[in-house]
Amino acid sequence: MILLNPGGKANFHTHTCYCDGKDRPEELVKKAIELGFTALGFSGHEYTEFDPDFCMSLEDTEKYRAEISRLKEKYRDSLRIYLGTERDYFGEGSDFPYDYVIGSLHYVEKDGVYLSVDNTEEIMAENVEKYFSGDYRAYVERYYEIEACVAEKTKADIVGHFDLIAKFNEGGKYFDEDARWYKKAALEALAKAAEKKPVFEINTGAMARGYRSRPYPAPFILEEIERLDCPVILSSDCHDREYLDYGFRSVMEKLNK
């Protein structure tokens, strides 16, 4: 398995107060230096017109780019800083020359309605009941049908939290992640997403926020990523500087084994 950050500590999935993160960018830079990071990549949620609450506004996008560029110069002798973005499949897209793009899927589209898969568990359950008549298999299969095309649609360098659909499913609460149909849907999507060999992230964000006991993606997906010879990168999907390297040590220990 090709792990892109096996030595120097780094995180490339980092959110700030310009979108749904807690901290100002410079606070995260200082925390990264304190933790001994060699690199830090910022990945603000790119503008998504139908759901502006979680993403950067167009005005704040300009401020975000300017501030990260300023910090690059200010801390160039202490930390490598990268200006990236997290682009949703249903987002507006951009021609701005970011250092990298994380391509992600945060919604399932059904009958022209965009249903968030990771807002709250209550909203997720209500949406599945209302739009899928309580059929979680249909809901999950629709997610992976779209997920298959995320890398191509977003022009992603990194594919984010591949199985985000399982965020609220700890212990198989809503569907069986060991079921044949589930693995088939996930692996078929992965085969399509991996065609151009993007980087896939091992993402500890749901662990940091207490939703999951394991990172994204599930072990069987990670094994297939390795078989498909795609590189991986470890990230914390940071929304709070106190969790900038959350779970890195334990995940690295498991990978080394």
Side-chain angles (χ1 to χ4, degrees):
M1 178 174 292
I2 305 169
L3 181 63
L4 297 186
N5 51 350
K9 188 184 289 187
N11 184 62
F12 284 82
H13 196 153
T14 311
H15 297 290
T16 73
C17 60
Y18 285 115
C19 54
D20 60 347
K22 174 184 174 183
D23 306 299
R24 294 203 58 81
E26 192 160 10
E27 292 176 308
L28 286 151
V29 169
K30 290 178 178 178
K31 186 66 177 181
I33 293 171
E34 176 189 324
L35 292 170
F37 274 47
T38 58
L40 180 65
F42 288 94
S43 55
H45 284 293
E46 202 167 74
Y47 181 63
T48 303
E49 184 178 15
F50 62 83
D51 190 4
D53 290 340
F54 89 103
C55 63
M56 297 185 292
S57 67
L58 295 177
E59 179 182 0
D60 279 346
T61 298
E62 297 296 328
K63 295 178 182 178
Y64 164 78
R65 293 170 180 167
E67 184 163 359
I68 304 308
S69 297
R70 178 184 68 82
L71 294 173
K72 274 189 176 189
E73 180 65 22
K74 180 177 179 178
Y75 290 92
R76 64 181 180 176
D77 295 330
S78 304
L79 185 70
R80 297 194 309 275
I81 296 174
Y82 297 87
L83 172 57
T85 190
E86 184 173 10
R87 179 174 297 157
D88 190 83
Y89 176 91
F90 293 110
E92 305 304 300
S94 170
D95 292 328
F96 184 84
Y98 287 105
D99 292 330
Y100 64 94
V101 173
I102 298 176
S104 298
L105 178 63
H106 299 90
Y107 309 90
V108 168
E109 183 274 329
K110 178 69 171 176
D111 299 329
V113 180
Y114 300 104
L115 312 173
S116 174
V117 303
D118 68 331
N119 190 325
T120 69
E121 182 176 354
E122 292 73 23
I123 288 174
M124 182 273 296
E126 290 172 4
N127 284 337
V128 175
E129 186 63 36
K130 181 177 180 179
Y131 293 96
F132 289 88
S133 301
D135 186 345
Y136 279 90
R137 176 172 176 173
Y139 172 66
V140 168
E141 289 177 337
R142 178 59 179 150
Y143 171 87
Y144 281 120
E145 178 185 345
I146 304 169
E147 180 68 36
C149 302
V150 164
E152 181 179 5
K153 171 74 182 302
T154 63
K155 299 179 174 61
D157 301 293
I158 302 169
V159 176
H161 40 60
F162 186 81
D163 53 349
L164 182 65
I165 193 71
K167 177 177 179 178
F168 302 116
N169 196 50
E170 181 75 3
K173 184 175 181 180
Y174 295 100
F175 48 87
D176 182 1
E177 295 174 51
D178 290 321
R180 183 177 298 179
W181 68 264
Y182 180 84
K183 290 186 174 182
K184 179 175 183 291
L187 294 180
E188 285 181 353
L190 179 62
K192 173 68 175 176
E195 286 179 353
K196 294 188 178 181
K197 304 296 183 186
V199 179
F200 287 86
E201 67 169 3
I202 300 173
N203 180 315
T204 64
M207 297 168 63
R209 291 184 281 281
Y211 294 110
R212 299 290 306 197
S213 57
R214 64 153 177 86
Y216 308 113
F220 78 90
I221 298 174
L222 191 58
E223 289 171 5
E224 185 67 4
I225 290 171
E226 181 175 19
R227 192 190 72 78
L228 292 169
D229 199 30
C230 290
V232 296
I233 191 167
L234 181 58
S235 79
S236 66
D237 199 345
C238 180
H239 290 71
D240 182 331
R241 66 185 183 274
E242 296 306 318
Y243 301 107
L244 189 56
D245 63 347
Y246 187 89
F248 279 18
R249 179 177 295 180
S250 64
V251 170
M252 286 299 298
E253 287 175 354
K254 290 178 181 178
L255 288 175
N256 288 334
K257 290 178 181 178

